[in-house]
Amino acid sequence: MGYLVAAVTVLTLPSRWARAGSVAVALTGAVLAPLLVLVVTGHGQSEVAVIERSGELLLRHGTPYLAEPRTVAEYTPYLPGMALFGLPRALFGADGWPARLLGDARLWCAAVFLGCLAAAVRPPRHDGRAVGLRATVGDGPNVPVLAVAALVASPLVALPLCASGVDLPLTGLCVLAVALAGRGRPFATGSALALACALKWTAWPAVAVAVALLAATAGRRAALRALATAAVGTAALVLPCALRAPGPLMEQVFAFPTGRGALPTPASSPLPGRLLAGLGPGGWYAALGLLLLAGLAVAVSLLRHPPRNAVAATDRLALGLALAFLLAPAGRFGYLALPAVLALVPRLSRLSRLSRLRRVPRPSRPVLARSAPAAAPRPRTPQVVPVP
């Protein structure tokens, strides 16, 4: 209904306001209104309840994983960072619509996603952060916010935002990490990667892509700094829970999503990897082998042809994640929304123009040419003036 009203709006309003008005109507009818209704009534996909329960477990027991889950609903197939989005529910409870509204994990997932998009498309400053580098922004901060807003209002983002929102923070953090890497900011890039990698292990390929982009544009030192920041930050967020409950973490986060857990995973869309795994143990190992070969191919491409701007980097990340979801032994069609959004956001926001870097040669000292020694002045002969 929201899209129908948006279509009528674009046809009726003056051309100057047609696009902005239709996008505003689509955002209201396809995102804000459904999200508010679902949050207040407490409806949503099972992922919302899983995140909120993991936040309560983290607050009470220091780990978001149940020791002996008996049903699929009791599994937490996410890394410990995802439990942070469930803490508001544990703190506010569910008594009354204000508490239900503020405690819903979808709102906080959406807030992180939109905040990351806003930070990613913000034009960089001309401050020469990296030695020998200068940002090239073309004609200035021409950021098409309307196009990004249209993407948020589209079914690609609106549906997961209203129903679950679980993949949105990871998507936003990956886009932000690539944008920061294109601007030559290694510490900020590593921090964004650490937050993403602590949510789901599907974000780990983003580390290789962002580091390759930094190495190609800002140098090896910046790339190593970002890699170290990402590794230390991820370990600080994951290790406390991993050491507290290593068995449940391995079972629920790694074995269960790949179809090797004690209970079958509900992620059973007929993708190529899932069809192979359904043939038996041999098919499962064949799907795993193809998955590893695809990852190796993407890694080789990063080494031989590293990306040099944000669009190329997100394209490489989107390709790697799409291959991973297609060839994984278990998966859903909905997972492919993540690489689709990764490929669309930089193009809609012109992130390539905002983050492309070019090398500026260092000014060299002027070399003074040796001049020939000045010739000695000729002695002036006295001029004799005749006497009349």
Side-chain angles (χ1 to χ4, degrees):
M1 187 64 182
Y3 298 125
L4 179 60
V5 178
V8 173
T9 302
V10 78
L11 295 175
T12 56
L13 286 180
S15 58
R16 182 180 180 183
W17 305 103
R19 288 186 296 178
S22 63
V23 170
V25 171
L27 282 173
T28 304
V31 179
L32 295 179
L35 179 61
L36 183 62
V37 171
L38 291 174
V39 167
V40 173
T41 57
H43 291 85
Q45 292 184 350
S46 59
E47 292 90 337
V48 181
V50 170
I51 295 175
E52 293 176 356
R53 186 195 64 235
S54 65
E56 185 176 355
L57 290 174
L58 179 65
L59 187 63
R60 292 185 178 182
H61 306 289
T63 175
Y65 309 106
L66 291 173
E68 297 179 356
R70 299 179 180 180
T71 63
V72 173
E74 294 180 348
Y75 273 66
T76 304
Y78 313 116
L79 288 170
M82 191 68 74
L84 298 178
F85 295 100
L87 289 179
R89 172 65 70 209
L91 296 175
F92 295 119
D95 296 332
W97 70 264
R100 289 198 299 270
L101 183 66
L102 295 176
D104 197 284
R106 285 169 289 189
L107 293 181
W108 302 100
C109 290
V112 171
F113 173 69
L114 297 176
C116 289
L117 287 189
V121 302
R122 182 179 57 85
R125 296 181 300 175
H126 298 272
D127 55 359
R129 291 182 180 276
V131 177
L133 295 174
R134 183 178 299 169
T136 302
V137 294
D139 299 329
N142 186 15
V143 181
V145 179
L146 193 63
V148 179
L151 176 63
V152 174
S154 69
L156 188 65
V157 177
L159 179 59
L161 191 150
C162 295
S164 66
V166 64
D167 286 326
L168 294 181
L170 184 145
T171 305
L173 286 169
C174 288
V175 171
L176 178 60
V178 173
L180 293 172
R183 297 171 189 172
R185 301 179 60 184
F187 180 76
T189 300
S191 301
L193 289 172
L195 293 174
C197 292
L199 299 179
K200 297 180 70 175
W201 56 268
T202 51
W204 293 357
V207 177
V209 174
V211 168
L213 176 59
L214 272 173
T217 56
R220 292 184 178 180
R221 181 175 297 180
L224 291 176
R225 185 182 176 188
L227 180 60
T229 304
V232 172
T234 304
L237 293 172
V238 173
L239 276 182
C241 294
L243 295 176
R244 192 175 184 86
L249 185 145
M250 293 298 298
E251 164 70 17
Q252 300 179 37
V253 177
F254 296 100
F256 173 69
T258 57
R260 307 299 286 181
L263 297 177
T265 173
S268 57
S269 297
L271 297 171
R274 179 67 181 87
L275 295 177
L276 277 176
L279 299 177
W284 188 89
Y285 285 108
L288 182 62
L290 291 175
L291 179 62
L292 294 177
L293 286 176
L296 180 62
V298 174
V300 171
S301 72
L302 290 175
L303 292 175
R304 298 190 62 179
H305 305 287
R308 297 186 178 276
N309 57 60
V311 169
T314 50
D315 282 348
R316 204 75 57 89
L317 179 58
L319 175 62
L321 290 177
L323 290 174
F325 296 147
L326 289 172
L327 299 175
R332 292 175 176 171
F333 286 115
Y335 294 166
L336 296 174
L338 171 58
V341 174
L342 285 173
L344 286 174
V345 169
R347 287 178 168 83
L348 295 177
S349 61
R350 297 180 187 175
L351 197 56
S352 60
R353 294 180 62 189
L354 295 179
S355 62
R356 187 181 296 117
L357 298 175
R358 61 180 176 87
R359 290 197 174 273
V360 179
R362 295 180 179 179
S364 56
R365 291 184 178 181
V367 179
L368 300 178
R370 293 182 180 180
S371 56
R378 295 180 179 180
R380 298 181 61 183
T381 55
Q383 187 175 9
V384 180
V385 178
V387 180

